[in-house]
Amino acid sequence: MAVRLGLGLPQMRQYDIGRDVPAVARAAEETGYESLWVFERILFPEPPSQGLYGIPGLPWPDAYRSVADPLVTLALAAAVTERARLGTSVLIAPLHVPFQLARTLASLDAASGGRVVAGFGTGWSRDEYAAASVAPFEKRGAVLDELIDVCHAVWGPDPVAYEGELTTIAPSVVGPKPKRPIPILLPANSPRALRRLVDRADGWMPVGMGAEALATQWRRLRELAAERGRKEPVRSVLRVNAQHTAKPYEGRERSPFQGSAEQIAADLAAHASVGPEEILIDLQGGARDAEELTDVAAEVYAAARAAGV
């Protein structure tokens, strides 16, 4: 069975969000992409208090100067598509008030006929945490845990009731409800995050950085799931940040997912052999406009299927 393929929607500043998101979403679904994805960046500090990913001195990419709100973007895509799942990769969950985020996701799922996939992460930018003012950066893991609890409560049967550090819900009717249980996916870059994923989430959202590294991570996750007695299988959606070039990349040390459609497809095939159920391909950063993004997405999709992905 072929791996499902998803596409990152246009959110960056070279795109006209109101026009381009619906156009790309429709085209992607017609091409065969089975899911549409968004990511989250809420600001571009000048100067930042820390480097990209928290690495000292590493500059933030210029593309982060303007990133459209992920849930508004998904709502635009939901209105013009019928089948494609609508995923977040990822929402920086602790930047959001838990109850409000749970309700928004439930409403989007109800409106789209049960197509939402909730990918949550904790992020790395202290500047974003300061701006959101929901909770301090140091409490990000605890806030994510509470947010997952609140989501399960709000999405579950009425009356909804919850008591946490940030959230108190008196016994209440809270609607609309999702059309079906919304799957929660998490990345996992530390032992604690791995335990949270195994114990509390439906699936895993790794980033494609090489097939061997992915295989090692996947093996470690399966071993931990067995150790902790998990019965349900761990779903998996691999995120791929691809850089398409018109001609094949001929550098000696080509990074994964860099180059022509055929080279990207070969990397997709290598990663698919590890066993992810779905691969999200984000091509928006390297495209000049929505027309180019649509054309490249169709080319990569065809090349991937021709390569057996």
Short mmCIF file of all heavy atoms in Angstrom, two decimals, residues 180-244:
data_model
loop_
_atom_site.label_atom_id
_atom_site.label_comp_id
_atom_site.label_asym_id
_atom_site.label_seq_id
_atom_site.Cartn_x
_atom_site.Cartn_y
_atom_site.Cartn_z
N ARG A 180 -15.63 13.18 14.91
CA ARG A 180 -15.06 11.94 15.42
C ARG A 180 -13.90 12.30 16.32
O ARG A 180 -13.49 13.47 16.34
CB ARG A 180 -14.66 11.00 14.28
CG ARG A 180 -13.24 11.13 13.75
CD ARG A 180 -12.96 12.46 13.09
NE ARG A 180 -11.66 12.43 12.41
CZ ARG A 180 -10.72 13.35 12.57
NH1 ARG A 180 -10.90 14.38 13.36
NH2 ARG A 180 -9.59 13.26 11.89
N PRO A 181 -13.36 11.38 17.09
CA PRO A 181 -12.23 11.74 17.94
C PRO A 181 -11.08 12.32 17.12
O PRO A 181 -10.59 11.70 16.18
CB PRO A 181 -11.83 10.40 18.59
CG PRO A 181 -13.08 9.58 18.56
CD PRO A 181 -13.78 9.97 17.29
N ILE A 182 -10.67 13.54 17.45
CA ILE A 182 -9.57 14.18 16.73
C ILE A 182 -8.25 13.55 17.16
O ILE A 182 -7.92 13.55 18.35
CB ILE A 182 -9.54 15.69 17.00
CG1 ILE A 182 -10.82 16.35 16.50
CG2 ILE A 182 -8.32 16.34 16.35
CD1 ILE A 182 -10.93 17.84 16.84
N PRO A 183 -7.48 12.99 16.25
CA PRO A 183 -6.19 12.41 16.65
C PRO A 183 -5.20 13.49 17.06
O PRO A 183 -5.13 14.55 16.43
CB PRO A 183 -5.72 11.66 15.39
CG PRO A 183 -6.46 12.30 14.26
CD PRO A 183 -7.76 12.80 14.81
N ILE A 184 -4.46 13.23 18.12
CA ILE A 184 -3.42 14.13 18.60
C ILE A 184 -2.07 13.51 18.30
O ILE A 184 -1.79 12.38 18.70
CB ILE A 184 -3.57 14.40 20.10
CG1 ILE A 184 -4.86 15.19 20.38
CG2 ILE A 184 -2.35 15.15 20.65
CD1 ILE A 184 -5.12 15.43 21.85
N LEU A 185 -1.23 14.25 17.58
CA LEU A 185 0.11 13.80 17.23
C LEU A 185 1.13 14.72 17.87
O LEU A 185 0.90 15.93 17.98
CB LEU A 185 0.30 13.78 15.71
CG LEU A 185 -0.23 12.57 14.93
CD1 LEU A 185 -1.72 12.39 15.09
CD2 LEU A 185 0.11 12.71 13.44
N LEU A 186 2.26 14.15 18.26
CA LEU A 186 3.31 14.92 18.93
C LEU A 186 4.66 14.59 18.32
O LEU A 186 4.92 13.44 17.96
CB LEU A 186 3.37 14.58 20.42
CG LEU A 186 2.11 14.79 21.27
CD1 LEU A 186 2.35 14.25 22.68
CD2 LEU A 186 1.71 16.26 21.32
N PRO A 187 5.56 15.59 18.22
CA PRO A 187 6.97 15.27 17.98
C PRO A 187 7.56 14.74 19.28
O PRO A 187 6.91 14.79 20.33
CB PRO A 187 7.58 16.61 17.59
CG PRO A 187 6.70 17.62 18.25
CD PRO A 187 5.33 17.02 18.33
N ALA A 188 8.76 14.23 19.24
CA ALA A 188 9.37 13.70 20.46
C ALA A 188 10.88 13.81 20.33
O ALA A 188 11.51 12.99 19.66
CB ALA A 188 8.95 12.26 20.70
N ASN A 189 11.46 14.80 20.99
CA ASN A 189 12.89 15.05 20.87
C ASN A 189 13.64 14.89 22.18
O ASN A 189 14.79 15.31 22.30
CB ASN A 189 13.12 16.47 20.32
CG ASN A 189 12.51 16.65 18.94
OD1 ASN A 189 12.69 15.81 18.07
ND2 ASN A 189 11.77 17.73 18.76
N SER A 190 13.00 14.30 23.17
CA SER A 190 13.63 14.08 24.46
C SER A 190 12.98 12.86 25.11
O SER A 190 11.88 12.46 24.71
CB SER A 190 13.47 15.30 25.37
OG SER A 190 12.10 15.42 25.79
N PRO A 191 13.63 12.25 26.09
CA PRO A 191 13.01 11.10 26.77
C PRO A 191 11.64 11.42 27.36
O PRO A 191 10.71 10.61 27.28
CB PRO A 191 14.03 10.75 27.85
CG PRO A 191 15.34 11.19 27.27
CD PRO A 191 15.03 12.45 26.53
N ARG A 192 11.51 12.59 27.97
CA ARG A 192 10.21 12.95 28.55
C ARG A 192 9.15 13.11 27.47
O ARG A 192 8.01 12.67 27.64
CB ARG A 192 10.36 14.25 29.34
CG ARG A 192 9.07 14.67 30.04
CD ARG A 192 9.30 15.90 30.91
NE ARG A 192 8.07 16.30 31.58
CZ ARG A 192 7.97 17.34 32.39
NH1 ARG A 192 9.06 18.06 32.67
NH2 ARG A 192 6.83 17.65 32.95
N ALA A 193 9.52 13.74 26.35
CA ALA A 193 8.57 13.90 25.25
C ALA A 193 8.18 12.55 24.66
O ALA A 193 7.02 12.35 24.27
CB ALA A 193 9.17 14.80 24.18
N LEU A 194 9.12 11.62 24.58
CA LEU A 194 8.80 10.27 24.09
C LEU A 194 7.78 9.59 25.00
O LEU A 194 6.84 8.95 24.52
CB LEU A 194 10.07 9.43 23.99
CG LEU A 194 10.92 9.60 22.73
CD1 LEU A 194 12.27 8.91 22.92
CD2 LEU A 194 10.20 9.04 21.51
N ARG A 195 7.97 9.73 26.31
CA ARG A 195 7.02 9.12 27.24
C ARG A 195 5.65 9.75 27.10
O ARG A 195 4.63 9.04 27.13
CB ARG A 195 7.54 9.25 28.68
CG ARG A 195 8.78 8.40 28.97
CD ARG A 195 9.07 8.34 30.46
NE ARG A 195 9.38 9.65 31.02
CZ ARG A 195 10.61 10.17 31.06
NH1 ARG A 195 11.63 9.48 30.57
NH2 ARG A 195 10.82 11.36 31.61
N ARG A 196 5.61 11.07 26.94
CA ARG A 196 4.32 11.74 26.76
C ARG A 196 3.63 11.21 25.51
O ARG A 196 2.42 10.94 25.50
CB ARG A 196 4.51 13.24 26.66
CG ARG A 196 3.20 14.00 26.42
CD ARG A 196 3.44 15.48 26.17
NE ARG A 196 3.89 16.17 27.36
CZ ARG A 196 5.08 16.75 27.49
NH1 ARG A 196 5.95 16.71 26.48
NH2 ARG A 196 5.42 17.36 28.60
N LEU A 197 4.39 11.06 24.44
CA LEU A 197 3.82 10.58 23.17
C LEU A 197 3.24 9.18 23.35
O LEU A 197 2.09 8.92 22.96
CB LEU A 197 4.91 10.58 22.10
CG LEU A 197 4.52 10.37 20.64
CD1 LEU A 197 5.65 10.86 19.74
CD2 LEU A 197 4.21 8.92 20.31
N VAL A 198 4.01 8.28 23.93
CA VAL A 198 3.56 6.90 24.09
C VAL A 198 2.34 6.82 25.00
O VAL A 198 1.40 6.06 24.74
CB VAL A 198 4.71 6.03 24.65
CG1 VAL A 198 4.21 4.68 25.12
CG2 VAL A 198 5.78 5.85 23.58
N ASP A 199 2.34 7.60 26.07
CA ASP A 199 1.28 7.50 27.08
C ASP A 199 0.02 8.27 26.72
O ASP A 199 -1.08 7.88 27.13
CB ASP A 199 1.78 8.00 28.43
CG ASP A 199 2.89 7.13 29.01
OD1 ASP A 199 3.07 6.00 28.52
OD2 ASP A 199 3.58 7.60 29.95
N ARG A 200 0.16 9.37 25.92
CA ARG A 200 -0.96 10.29 25.85
C ARG A 200 -1.41 10.65 24.44
O ARG A 200 -2.47 11.25 24.27
CB ARG A 200 -0.60 11.59 26.58
CG ARG A 200 0.07 11.36 27.94
CD ARG A 200 -0.13 12.53 28.87
NE ARG A 200 -1.53 12.76 29.08
CZ ARG A 200 -2.05 13.97 29.32
NH1 ARG A 200 -1.27 15.02 29.35
NH2 ARG A 200 -3.34 14.11 29.51
N ALA A 201 -0.63 10.32 23.41
CA ALA A 201 -0.95 10.77 22.07
C ALA A 201 -1.34 9.60 21.16
O ALA A 201 -1.09 8.44 21.47
CB ALA A 201 0.24 11.52 21.47
N ASP A 202 -1.92 9.96 20.02
CA ASP A 202 -2.30 8.96 19.03
C ASP A 202 -1.18 8.67 18.05
O ASP A 202 -1.15 7.59 17.45
CB ASP A 202 -3.53 9.45 18.25
CG ASP A 202 -4.73 9.66 19.15
OD1 ASP A 202 -5.26 8.66 19.66
OD2 ASP A 202 -5.11 10.83 19.37
N GLY A 203 -0.28 9.63 17.87
CA GLY A 203 0.75 9.42 16.87
C GLY A 203 1.94 10.32 17.02
O GLY A 203 2.02 11.18 17.91
N TRP A 204 2.90 10.12 16.11
CA TRP A 204 4.22 10.73 16.15
C TRP A 204 4.42 11.57 14.91
O TRP A 204 4.02 11.20 13.81
CB TRP A 204 5.25 9.60 16.20
CG TRP A 204 6.68 10.00 16.24
CD1 TRP A 204 7.25 11.02 16.93
CD2 TRP A 204 7.76 9.33 15.56
NE1 TRP A 204 8.61 11.05 16.72
CE2 TRP A 204 8.95 10.02 15.90
CE3 TRP A 204 7.84 8.22 14.71
CZ2 TRP A 204 10.20 9.64 15.41
CZ3 TRP A 204 9.08 7.84 14.23
CH2 TRP A 204 10.24 8.55 14.58
N MET A 205 5.09 12.73 15.07
CA MET A 205 5.38 13.62 13.96
C MET A 205 6.88 13.91 13.90
O MET A 205 7.33 14.97 14.35
CB MET A 205 4.60 14.93 14.10
CG MET A 205 3.11 14.75 14.08
SD MET A 205 2.24 16.27 13.64
CE MET A 205 2.49 16.27 11.86
N PRO A 206 7.69 13.01 13.36
CA PRO A 206 9.12 13.29 13.21
C PRO A 206 9.37 14.19 12.01
O PRO A 206 8.50 14.42 11.18
CB PRO A 206 9.70 11.89 12.97
CG PRO A 206 8.60 11.17 12.25
CD PRO A 206 7.32 11.68 12.85
N VAL A 207 10.60 14.69 11.93
CA VAL A 207 11.05 15.47 10.77
C VAL A 207 12.07 14.65 10.01
O VAL A 207 12.96 14.04 10.60
CB VAL A 207 11.66 16.81 11.22
CG1 VAL A 207 12.23 17.57 10.03
CG2 VAL A 207 10.62 17.67 11.93
N GLY A 208 11.95 14.62 8.69
CA GLY A 208 12.84 13.83 7.85
C GLY A 208 14.22 14.44 7.75
O GLY A 208 14.40 15.48 7.11
N MET A 209 15.20 13.80 8.38
CA MET A 209 16.58 14.28 8.34
C MET A 209 17.54 13.19 7.88
O MET A 209 18.75 13.29 8.03
CB MET A 209 17.00 14.76 9.74
CG MET A 209 16.19 15.93 10.26
SD MET A 209 16.40 17.44 9.27
CE MET A 209 18.06 17.89 9.70
N GLY A 210 16.99 12.13 7.33
CA GLY A 210 17.78 10.99 6.89
C GLY A 210 17.09 9.70 7.28
O GLY A 210 16.57 9.57 8.39
N ALA A 211 17.07 8.73 6.35
CA ALA A 211 16.33 7.49 6.60
C ALA A 211 16.91 6.69 7.76
O ALA A 211 16.15 6.09 8.54
CB ALA A 211 16.30 6.64 5.32
N GLU A 212 18.22 6.66 7.90
CA GLU A 212 18.83 5.89 8.99
C GLU A 212 18.46 6.49 10.35
O GLU A 212 18.14 5.76 11.29
CB GLU A 212 20.34 5.84 8.82
CG GLU A 212 20.81 4.99 7.66
CD GLU A 212 22.32 4.85 7.63
OE1 GLU A 212 22.98 5.25 8.61
OE2 GLU A 212 22.84 4.36 6.61
N ALA A 213 18.53 7.80 10.45
CA ALA A 213 18.16 8.45 11.71
C ALA A 213 16.69 8.21 12.03
O ALA A 213 16.33 7.96 13.19
CB ALA A 213 18.45 9.94 11.63
N LEU A 214 15.84 8.27 11.01
CA LEU A 214 14.42 8.01 11.23
C LEU A 214 14.19 6.59 11.72
O LEU A 214 13.40 6.35 12.64
CB LEU A 214 13.64 8.26 9.93
CG LEU A 214 12.13 8.00 10.01
CD1 LEU A 214 11.46 8.99 10.95
CD2 LEU A 214 11.50 8.08 8.61
N ALA A 215 14.89 5.63 11.13
CA ALA A 215 14.74 4.23 11.53
C ALA A 215 15.16 4.04 12.99
O ALA A 215 14.51 3.30 13.75
CB ALA A 215 15.55 3.33 10.62
N THR A 216 16.23 4.70 13.39
CA THR A 216 16.68 4.60 14.78
C THR A 216 15.65 5.18 15.74
O THR A 216 15.33 4.58 16.77
CB THR A 216 18.03 5.34 14.95
OG1 THR A 216 19.01 4.73 14.11
CG2 THR A 216 18.50 5.29 16.39
N GLN A 217 15.10 6.35 15.40
CA GLN A 217 14.07 6.98 16.23
C GLN A 217 12.83 6.10 16.31
O GLN A 217 12.23 5.94 17.38
CB GLN A 217 13.70 8.34 15.66
CG GLN A 217 14.78 9.39 15.76
CD GLN A 217 14.35 10.68 15.08
OE1 GLN A 217 13.92 10.69 13.92
NE2 GLN A 217 14.46 11.79 15.79
N TRP A 218 12.43 5.53 15.18
CA TRP A 218 11.22 4.71 15.12
C TRP A 218 11.38 3.45 15.96
O TRP A 218 10.46 3.03 16.67
CB TRP A 218 10.93 4.39 13.66
CG TRP A 218 9.64 3.72 13.33
CD1 TRP A 218 9.47 2.71 12.44
CD2 TRP A 218 8.32 4.01 13.83
NE1 TRP A 218 8.15 2.34 12.35
CE2 TRP A 218 7.42 3.13 13.20
CE3 TRP A 218 7.83 4.92 14.74
CZ2 TRP A 218 6.05 3.13 13.46
CZ3 TRP A 218 6.46 4.94 15.02
CH2 TRP A 218 5.60 4.05 14.38
N ARG A 219 12.55 2.85 15.89
CA ARG A 219 12.82 1.66 16.69
C ARG A 219 12.78 1.99 18.18
O ARG A 219 12.19 1.24 18.98
CB ARG A 219 14.18 1.07 16.31
CG ARG A 219 14.53 -0.22 17.06
CD ARG A 219 15.78 -0.87 16.51
NE ARG A 219 16.94 0.01 16.57
CZ ARG A 219 17.48 0.63 15.52
NH1 ARG A 219 16.97 0.45 14.31
NH2 ARG A 219 18.54 1.41 15.67
N ARG A 220 13.38 3.11 18.57
CA ARG A 220 13.38 3.51 19.97
C ARG A 220 11.94 3.76 20.46
O ARG A 220 11.59 3.39 21.59
CB ARG A 220 14.21 4.78 20.14
CG ARG A 220 14.40 5.21 21.59
CD ARG A 220 15.18 6.51 21.68
NE ARG A 220 16.46 6.39 20.99
CZ ARG A 220 16.87 7.22 20.04
NH1 ARG A 220 16.09 8.20 19.64
NH2 ARG A 220 18.04 7.06 19.48
N LEU A 221 11.12 4.37 19.62
CA LEU A 221 9.74 4.65 20.00
C LEU A 221 8.94 3.36 20.17
O LEU A 221 8.18 3.21 21.13
CB LEU A 221 9.09 5.55 18.94
CG LEU A 221 7.64 5.95 19.17
CD1 LEU A 221 7.47 6.67 20.50
CD2 LEU A 221 7.15 6.84 18.02
N ARG A 222 9.12 2.42 19.26
CA ARG A 222 8.40 1.14 19.38
C ARG A 222 8.83 0.38 20.63
O ARG A 222 8.00 -0.24 21.31
CB ARG A 222 8.63 0.28 18.13
CG ARG A 222 7.96 0.82 16.88
CD ARG A 222 7.83 -0.27 15.82
NE ARG A 222 9.11 -0.88 15.50
CZ ARG A 222 9.93 -0.46 14.54
NH1 ARG A 222 9.60 0.59 13.82
NH2 ARG A 222 11.06 -1.09 14.31
N GLU A 223 10.13 0.43 20.93
CA GLU A 223 10.62 -0.25 22.13
C GLU A 223 10.03 0.36 23.39
O GLU A 223 9.63 -0.35 24.32
CB GLU A 223 12.15 -0.19 22.17
CG GLU A 223 12.82 -1.06 21.11
CD GLU A 223 14.32 -0.81 21.03
OE1 GLU A 223 14.81 0.13 21.71
OE2 GLU A 223 15.01 -1.55 20.29
N LEU A 224 9.95 1.69 23.43
CA LEU A 224 9.38 2.36 24.60
C LEU A 224 7.90 2.05 24.73
O LEU A 224 7.40 1.83 25.85
CB LEU A 224 9.60 3.87 24.49
CG LEU A 224 9.08 4.69 25.66
CD1 LEU A 224 9.82 4.33 26.95
CD2 LEU A 224 9.22 6.20 25.38
N ALA A 225 7.19 2.01 23.60
CA ALA A 225 5.77 1.68 23.65
C ALA A 225 5.55 0.29 24.22
O ALA A 225 4.64 0.06 25.03
CB ALA A 225 5.16 1.79 22.25
N ALA A 226 6.40 -0.66 23.84
CA ALA A 226 6.29 -2.02 24.38
C ALA A 226 6.61 -2.04 25.88
O ALA A 226 5.91 -2.70 26.66
CB ALA A 226 7.23 -2.96 23.62
N GLU A 227 7.64 -1.29 26.28
CA GLU A 227 8.00 -1.24 27.70
C GLU A 227 6.89 -0.67 28.55
O GLU A 227 6.66 -1.12 29.69
CB GLU A 227 9.26 -0.37 27.87
CG GLU A 227 10.54 -0.99 27.34
CD GLU A 227 11.68 -0.01 27.41
OE1 GLU A 227 11.52 1.07 28.05
OE2 GLU A 227 12.76 -0.30 26.83
N ARG A 228 6.17 0.31 28.02
CA ARG A 228 5.13 0.98 28.81
C ARG A 228 3.76 0.37 28.60
O ARG A 228 2.75 0.88 29.07
CB ARG A 228 5.13 2.47 28.48
CG ARG A 228 6.45 3.14 28.83
CD ARG A 228 6.46 4.63 28.56
NE ARG A 228 5.70 5.40 29.54
CZ ARG A 228 6.17 5.79 30.72
NH1 ARG A 228 7.39 5.43 31.09
NH2 ARG A 228 5.44 6.51 31.53
N GLY A 229 3.71 -0.75 27.88
CA GLY A 229 2.47 -1.50 27.76
C GLY A 229 1.42 -0.87 26.86
O GLY A 229 0.23 -1.14 27.02
N ARG A 230 1.85 -0.07 25.92
CA ARG A 230 0.88 0.53 25.00
C ARG A 230 0.30 -0.53 24.08
O ARG A 230 1.03 -1.30 23.46
CB ARG A 230 1.54 1.64 24.18
CG ARG A 230 0.54 2.30 23.20
CD ARG A 230 1.20 3.41 22.41
NE ARG A 230 0.30 3.92 21.38
CZ ARG A 230 -0.12 5.18 21.28
NH1 ARG A 230 0.30 6.07 22.17
NH2 ARG A 230 -0.94 5.54 20.31
N LYS A 231 -1.01 -0.55 23.95
CA LYS A 231 -1.70 -1.53 23.11
C LYS A 231 -2.01 -0.98 21.72
O LYS A 231 -1.96 -1.72 20.73
CB LYS A 231 -3.00 -1.98 23.77
CG LYS A 231 -2.82 -2.56 25.18
CD LYS A 231 -1.91 -3.78 25.18
CE LYS A 231 -1.79 -4.37 26.58
NZ LYS A 231 -0.84 -5.50 26.63
N GLU A 232 -2.34 0.30 21.65
CA GLU A 232 -2.72 0.88 20.36
C GLU A 232 -1.48 1.17 19.53
O GLU A 232 -0.44 1.56 20.06
CB GLU A 232 -3.49 2.20 20.57
CG GLU A 232 -4.75 2.07 21.38
CD GLU A 232 -4.48 2.06 22.88
OE1 GLU A 232 -3.32 2.33 23.27
OE2 GLU A 232 -5.40 1.76 23.65
N PRO A 233 -1.57 0.96 18.22
CA PRO A 233 -0.42 1.29 17.36
C PRO A 233 -0.17 2.80 17.37
O PRO A 233 -1.10 3.60 17.55
CB PRO A 233 -0.85 0.80 15.98
CG PRO A 233 -2.34 0.76 16.03
CD PRO A 233 -2.70 0.42 17.45
N VAL A 234 1.07 3.20 17.18
CA VAL A 234 1.44 4.61 17.11
C VAL A 234 1.35 5.06 15.66
O VAL A 234 2.07 4.55 14.79
CB VAL A 234 2.87 4.85 17.64
CG1 VAL A 234 3.25 6.32 17.49
CG2 VAL A 234 2.98 4.42 19.09
N ARG A 235 0.44 5.97 15.37
CA ARG A 235 0.36 6.52 14.02
C ARG A 235 1.59 7.37 13.75
O ARG A 235 2.26 7.84 14.67
CB ARG A 235 -0.90 7.39 13.89
CG ARG A 235 -2.19 6.62 14.12
CD ARG A 235 -3.39 7.53 14.13
NE ARG A 235 -3.51 8.30 12.89
CZ ARG A 235 -4.58 9.02 12.57
NH1 ARG A 235 -5.62 9.08 13.39
NH2 ARG A 235 -4.63 9.69 11.45
N SER A 236 1.89 7.61 12.48
CA SER A 236 3.08 8.39 12.17
C SER A 236 2.88 9.23 10.92
O SER A 236 2.40 8.75 9.89
CB SER A 236 4.29 7.47 11.98
OG SER A 236 4.02 6.49 10.99
N VAL A 237 3.22 10.51 11.04
CA VAL A 237 3.23 11.43 9.91
C VAL A 237 4.61 12.09 9.89
O VAL A 237 4.98 12.81 10.81
CB VAL A 237 2.13 12.50 10.02
CG1 VAL A 237 2.23 13.47 8.84
CG2 VAL A 237 0.75 11.87 10.08
N LEU A 238 5.37 11.82 8.85
CA LEU A 238 6.72 12.36 8.70
C LEU A 238 6.65 13.71 8.01
O LEU A 238 6.03 13.84 6.95
CB LEU A 238 7.56 11.39 7.86
CG LEU A 238 8.96 11.87 7.47
CD1 LEU A 238 9.86 11.96 8.70
CD2 LEU A 238 9.56 10.95 6.41
N ARG A 239 7.27 14.72 8.63
CA ARG A 239 7.34 16.03 8.00
C ARG A 239 8.62 16.15 7.18
O ARG A 239 9.72 15.86 7.68
CB ARG A 239 7.31 17.15 9.04
CG ARG A 239 7.38 18.53 8.40
CD ARG A 239 7.40 19.67 9.39
NE ARG A 239 7.42 20.92 8.66
CZ ARG A 239 6.35 21.58 8.25
NH1 ARG A 239 5.15 21.12 8.55
NH2 ARG A 239 6.45 22.68 7.54
N VAL A 240 8.49 16.61 5.94
CA VAL A 240 9.63 16.78 5.03
C VAL A 240 9.65 18.24 4.57
O VAL A 240 8.68 18.71 3.96
CB VAL A 240 9.50 15.85 3.81
CG1 VAL A 240 10.45 16.27 2.71
CG2 VAL A 240 9.72 14.41 4.22
N ASN A 241 10.71 18.95 4.90
CA ASN A 241 10.90 20.32 4.42
C ASN A 241 11.78 20.24 3.17
O ASN A 241 12.99 20.05 3.27
CB ASN A 241 11.54 21.17 5.50
CG ASN A 241 10.67 21.28 6.74
OD1 ASN A 241 9.48 21.55 6.64
ND2 ASN A 241 11.25 21.04 7.89
N ALA A 242 11.16 20.34 2.01
CA ALA A 242 11.85 20.08 0.75
C ALA A 242 12.24 21.38 0.04
O ALA A 242 11.54 22.39 0.13
CB ALA A 242 10.97 19.24 -0.16
N GLN A 243 13.34 21.32 -0.68
CA GLN A 243 13.83 22.45 -1.48
C GLN A 243 13.97 21.98 -2.91
O GLN A 243 14.92 21.29 -3.28
CB GLN A 243 15.18 22.93 -0.93
CG GLN A 243 15.72 24.17 -1.61
CD GLN A 243 14.89 25.41 -1.30
OE1 GLN A 243 14.44 25.60 -0.18
NE2 GLN A 243 14.68 26.25 -2.30
N HIS A 244 13.01 22.34 -3.74
CA HIS A 244 12.99 21.89 -5.14
C HIS A 244 13.86 22.79 -6.01
O HIS A 244 13.87 24.02 -5.86
CB HIS A 244 11.56 21.91 -5.67
CG HIS A 244 11.44 21.54 -7.11
ND1 HIS A 244 11.46 22.48 -8.13
CD2 HIS A 244 11.32 20.33 -7.71
CE1 HIS A 244 11.33 21.86 -9.28
NE2 HIS A 244 11.26 20.57 -9.07
#
